[in-house]
Amino acid sequence: MWKNYSLIVWLVIIGLVMGGCQMGKGSERDIKPSEMKAEDLPDVRALQDEFTRSFIESTEEVEPGYYSFLSGTKQYRMLFPKEGVIHQGYGVKEDQFEGFLMSTINDNGTDSQIKINYYAYATIESVEGGLEMLEGSVGQKLEFEKVKAETSELYYAPFQFDSDTFGIAALVASLKENGVIQIVYDTQCKKDQNECKQIKEEEVDKMIHWAESIEFVDKEIK
């Protein structure tokens, strides 16, 4: 009897210890990068830059090379490259407007810049005017493709600034509520012509995938 009792006590102790360990691990996952010390974070630009990591929701990658970014307006989320940083000049007005420039170093040795403007008051009906604004931003007439998702529409068009610089202009519009995001995403390649041609194909596909990751936050459950 005493042997059985001792065994039960021992199993209970093990269970408590293991449960405590699991809760501890869960607590670590719940800690935001902005609440952690730089030396305890992965050695990547997005988390080592103090301002940038204030937007990153977790140290766990949601896709290889990307973290989850929550807008300063709390109105949308998107993928954020681990080697990306947000530059000076960031601007936000409550939950109504947000504008910033981010840059990232790509695995293929190229550099990219992404300019983002969010307008809370804009509606799906204002898309045509938004696309015209994007054409003015890049100084070109663009042919936009449309991708419709469950709660948003994405419009994007590739462009070429010069022999070294290419990118996409994009617009994401909410279908449920007001909200439009305008994007100019460009990459500079200074390698030889054949290599840059291959890089361009890969990077444009990556740009479109990134733009498709943008989702508006449901205000009813936020």
Side-chain angles (χ1 to χ4, degrees), residues 102-149:
M102 56 181 281
S103 67
T104 185
I105 301 171
N106 303 310
D107 292 339
N108 53 31
T110 60
D111 297 323
S112 295
Q113 288 195 123
I114 308 172
K115 176 64 178 174
I116 297 175
N117 284 325
Y118 165 74
Y119 304 95
Y121 54 82
T123 66
I124 190 68
E125 288 77 19
S126 67
V127 164
E128 185 174 345
L131 298 181
E132 291 177 356
M133 288 177 63
L134 285 172
E135 288 181 326
S137 297
V138 300
Q140 299 177 29
K141 186 69 176 176
L142 301 173
E143 296 294 330
F144 288 93
E145 298 281 344
K146 182 171 80 169
V147 178
K148 188 170 183 178

Side-chain angles (χ1 to χ4, degrees), residues 25-41:
K25 289 180 180 178
S27 298
E28 287 179 6
R29 285 196 297 269
D30 293 339
I31 298 175
K32 295 181 179 180
S34 59
E35 299 170 347
M36 300 173 66
K37 296 179 181 179
E39 57 265 30
D40 296 330
L41 293 164

Side-chain angles (χ1 to χ4, degrees), residues 77-92:
R77 285 186 171 90
M78 65 183 189
L79 294 177
F80 195 91
K82 66 181 182 181
E83 293 300 332
V85 292
I86 297 175
H87 292 272
Q88 292 181 353
Y90 171 87
V92 64

Side-chain angles (χ1 to χ4, degrees), residues 2 6 17 25 73 81 89 153 171 179 191 203 207:
W2 284 108
S6 299
V17 171
K25 289 180 180 178
T73 65
E153 285 183 352
L171 182 148
K191 303 177 185 291
E203 283 296 307
M207 292 173 181

Side-chain angles (χ1 to χ4, degrees), residues 11 14 18-19 28 36 46 52 94-95 127 141 145 151 167 172 183 188 191 196-197 215 221:
L11 290 173
I14 291 175
M18 294 300 293
E28 287 179 6
M36 300 173 66
T52 301
E94 299 176 346
D95 61 354
V127 164
K141 186 69 176 176
E145 298 281 344
T151 60
V172 186
I183 302 155
Q188 189 173 55
K191 303 177 185 291
C196 281
K197 183 178 179 181
E215 59 180 19
I221 62 175

Side-chain angles (χ1 to χ4, degrees), residues 39-82:
E39 57 265 30
D40 296 330
L41 293 164
D43 187 20
V44 295
R45 296 173 78 216
L47 295 179
Q48 290 301 314
D49 181 79
E50 184 176 3
F51 183 67
T52 301
R53 69 171 174 263
S54 66
F55 299 90
I56 306 300
E57 297 191 275
S58 171
T59 58
E60 294 186 14
E61 296 181 9
V62 291
E63 286 189 17
Y66 291 96
Y67 297 110
S68 175
F69 170 102
L70 178 62
S71 159
T73 65
K74 306 296 189 291
Q75 301 301 303
Y76 64 93
R77 285 186 171 90
M78 65 183 189
L79 294 177
F80 195 91
K82 66 181 182 181

